[in-house]
Amino acid sequence: MKRNKIIFSLIILLLFFFFNLRADEPKINGGVLFYDYNFFWQNSDFNSVTSDSDAYSYIHLDFHINADFGNGVSFFASIGSWGQFGQHPVWGVPADPRATMLEGYLNFDKLFGPFSVKIGKFRFLYGDGIVAFDGGEDGTLGMNIYSRSETFDIDIFYRKPFQGGGIAEVYFPGTQTSIEERGDIDYSIHVLGVYPTLKLAKDKFKISPYLFYRKNGVNKPLWLGIRVEASPNKSISAKAEYVSLSGDLNETIKYSAYAYLGGLQYTMENGVFVGANIYGFSGDDSNTEDSELYISVIDSPFANGFYQWWPGLGPAHLMTTGYGFSCIADWNPTMTNLNVFDLYAGYSTKEYSLRATYWNYSRNKLLVGQENKAMGSELSFFGTYNIRNIVTIGASIGYWMPGDYFKKDLGIGDNTSGMLGGFIFLFKSFDFKIK
């Protein structure tokens, strides 16, 4: 209750500042973002006896505006639709997604000394999204108090990605009882955190120690981590991140999990590049009372730098994850309890890019009775081409060759065969001036 009063008071204070600032005619700019992804997969169960394959389209379209009112006050809104499309005007199934507010927020630049404030619904992504990412479609409701400078950045934030109860659960006089007594109101999810970044040697080195805390009834996990990025020259770039997960899963079980990543890339002046990455997501140990399975703050996708213009690891691996989003969630068995490394090489120009990657997947922890961690390896190819400097098209295709984890521990045996997965896409965005 005290936290809600503080948030409400801050909102009232911000509105007071907003309506008392004198502004000239606002400067309004707009834009459009469109992308069309066509996904496909074959043999995702690695079993040659069964027949399983599918292909589907995923489309995003939004219209967005940004209004600058002067005096450091601006407003941004994005209205659009995204998801699996293909509704027939007569058959009517499956239903198409409808347009909604993807983002909408007010921004007050340097409202309190060096601190700015953003309030509304907006993007939620830090680093590679190993802890928090909203998926890149809809933002999340919340407030950021932040500051930016040449040597130091900081975000102090509150997010409410899920609203339990709400407008349909308003109490009537004489019926007030606690949520625990009623039992029919879902708990809201509250996320609090701080993400500072120290920038050294003119942005060549960045260090970000961070904290995320989530409260959802008795579920109270805490993420403590550190991320380091380095670009000592134009040729070399590196990153490393480690995060521990602790706190309460429920009234009796504690979290005791971790995740990490690391990457190194060397780029030559002619556009050729080579690199390697490692990733780790801890799995649950059946011999302990704690939960060692690593999950993200809001069961979110692993952005992974959008190396293939989409979240995730290899494209075949992607198509074994729920919704094809590589969410770091306990319901996503091929994205959790996982160790990964990859080696890649490619070539990039302003007009096109090509990349070939070798991936290796293995279990972090085995269940009782299992003996083989090797999930196999994937060879993938990714490329983009910018048509006439206007529209980008691309493709990401991978073939996953399963290991002994599937052949022996899951009992597929001699029927084990590889999986094909990937997508083809086109992308276009443009901006225009309204006023």
Side-chain angles (χ1 to χ4, degrees), residues 88-93:
H88 188 277
V90 177
W91 302 334
V93 290

Side-chain angles (χ1 to χ4, degrees), residues 17-174:
F17 275 102
F18 177 68
F19 287 111
N20 282 276
L21 285 171
R22 294 184 177 180
D24 297 327
E25 284 291 312
K27 298 176 182 177
I28 304 176
N29 297 310
V32 175
L33 174 61
F34 171 77
Y35 46 85
D36 182 355
Y37 280 70
N38 296 277
F39 292 89
F40 58 88
W41 55 266
Q42 185 175 17
N43 198 37
S44 65
D45 62 359
F46 300 110
N47 194 330
S48 61
V49 175
T50 60
S51 177
D52 59 297
S53 63
D54 195 15
Y56 62 91
S57 294
Y58 179 102
I59 300 175
H60 171 111
L61 173 67
D62 77 66
F63 299 86
H64 49 272
I65 63 167
N66 185 76
D68 184 353
F69 299 98
N71 293 313
V73 180
S74 62
F75 170 76
F76 179 87
S78 175
I79 306 297
S81 184
W82 57 271
Q84 179 179 324
F85 282 77
Q87 180 176 3
H88 188 277
V90 177
W91 302 334
V93 290
D96 285 342
R98 301 305 182 196
T100 185
M101 182 182 71
L102 306 179
E103 291 186 87
Y105 60 86
L106 280 165
N107 190 76
F108 301 82
D109 188 43
K110 295 182 179 178
L111 186 62
F112 308 107
F115 289 96
S116 303
V117 177
K118 182 187 292 186
I119 183 168
K121 185 184 182 188
F122 48 94
R123 295 270 75 91
F124 192 30
L125 171 62
Y126 290 93
D128 283 286
I130 201 168
V131 177
F133 177 39
D134 56 33
E137 297 290 0
D138 278 283
T140 58
L141 182 69
M143 176 187 294
N144 269 22
I145 300 174
Y146 65 94
S147 178
R148 302 287 184 262
S149 71
E150 291 184 0
T151 58
F152 185 73
D153 297 343
I154 187 169
D155 279 25
I156 304 169
F157 56 85
Y158 166 77
R159 295 297 184 103
K160 197 172 189 179
F162 174 75
Q163 172 67 66
I167 193 170
E169 300 292 347
V170 176
Y171 283 17
F172 295 101

Side-chain angles (χ1 to χ4, degrees), residues 15 22 32 42 74 85 100 107 114 136 153 188 192 222 233 253 265 276 278 316 338 353 361 434:
L15 289 175
R22 294 184 177 180
V32 175
Q42 185 175 17
S74 62
F85 282 77
T100 185
N107 190 76
D153 297 343
S188 297
L192 298 166
L222 175 70
N233 54 52
I253 300 176
Q265 178 172 305
I278 57 171
L338 188 65
S353 65
Y361 309 113
I434 301 175

Side-chain angles (χ1 to χ4, degrees), residues 39 41 56 58 301 308 310-312 315 317-327 331-332 423:
F39 292 89
W41 55 266
Y56 62 91
Y58 179 102
Q308 54 186 0
W310 193 264
H317 178 274
L318 173 76
M319 300 313 298
T320 66
T321 65
Y323 310 107
F325 262 111
S326 294
C327 295
W331 44 262
N332 219 353
F423 53 85

Side-chain angles (χ1 to χ4, degrees), residues 147-153 197-208:
S147 178
R148 302 287 184 262
S149 71
E150 291 184 0
T151 58
F152 185 73
D153 297 343
T197 300
L198 179 63
K199 298 181 286 187
L200 305 172
K202 297 182 179 180
D203 257 8
K204 292 181 179 180
F205 297 93
K206 297 180 181 180
I207 303 173
S208 301

Side-chain angles (χ1 to χ4, degrees), residues 123-289:
R123 295 270 75 91
F124 192 30
L125 171 62
Y126 290 93
D128 283 286
I130 201 168
V131 177
F133 177 39
D134 56 33
E137 297 290 0
D138 278 283
T140 58
L141 182 69
M143 176 187 294
N144 269 22
I145 300 174
Y146 65 94
S147 178
R148 302 287 184 262
S149 71
E150 291 184 0
T151 58
F152 185 73
D153 297 343
I154 187 169
D155 279 25
I156 304 169
F157 56 85
Y158 166 77
R159 295 297 184 103
K160 197 172 189 179
F162 174 75
Q163 172 67 66
I167 193 170
E169 300 292 347
V170 176
Y171 283 17
F172 295 101
T175 63
Q176 284 88 344
T177 54
S178 69
I179 291 177
E180 290 82 359
E181 291 171 321
R182 284 189 58 172
D184 60 351
I185 297 179
D186 290 332
Y187 287 102
S188 297
I189 295 178
H190 306 275
V191 178
L192 298 166
V194 57
Y195 198 98
T197 300
L198 179 63
K199 298 181 286 187
L200 305 172
K202 297 182 179 180
D203 257 8
K204 292 181 179 180
F205 297 93
K206 297 180 181 180
I207 303 173
S208 301
Y210 57 79
L211 176 152
F212 291 76
Y213 171 75
R214 183 182 76 197
K215 184 178 185 300
N216 178 216
V218 297
N219 181 245
K220 301 174 183 178
L222 175 70
W223 290 260
L224 288 172
I226 184 167
R227 179 179 174 87
V228 179
E229 298 178 10
S231 299
N233 54 52
K234 293 181 179 180
S235 298
I236 298 174
S237 61
K239 62 182 178 182
E241 186 170 355
Y242 179 86
V243 55
S244 66
L245 170 59
S246 59
D248 300 329
L249 188 152
N250 53 41
E251 293 175 336
T252 59
I253 300 176
K254 301 285 187 180
Y255 286 106
S256 181
Y258 66 87
Y260 63 85
L261 62 82
L264 179 64
Q265 178 172 305
Y266 179 77
T267 304
M268 305 177 193
E269 292 185 2
N270 61 4
V272 174
F273 58 88
V274 294
N277 295 288
I278 57 171
Y279 317 85
F281 306 90
S282 64
D284 190 38
D285 186 344
S286 56
N287 296 314
T288 69
E289 294 182 358

Side-chain angles (χ1 to χ4, degrees), residues 374-417:
M375 299 172 69
S377 56
E378 177 181 350
L379 183 62
S380 69
F381 299 92
F382 172 74
T384 62
Y385 178 66
N386 193 339
I387 303 175
R388 298 178 181 177
N389 255 348
I390 298 176
V391 177
T392 299
I393 61 172
S396 185
I397 301 171
Y399 186 75
W400 184 350
M401 297 155 283
D404 284 345
Y405 174 79
F406 295 102
K407 294 177 182 178
K408 298 179 180 180
D409 288 354
L410 297 191
I412 303 176
D414 294 337
N415 296 324
T416 306
S417 60

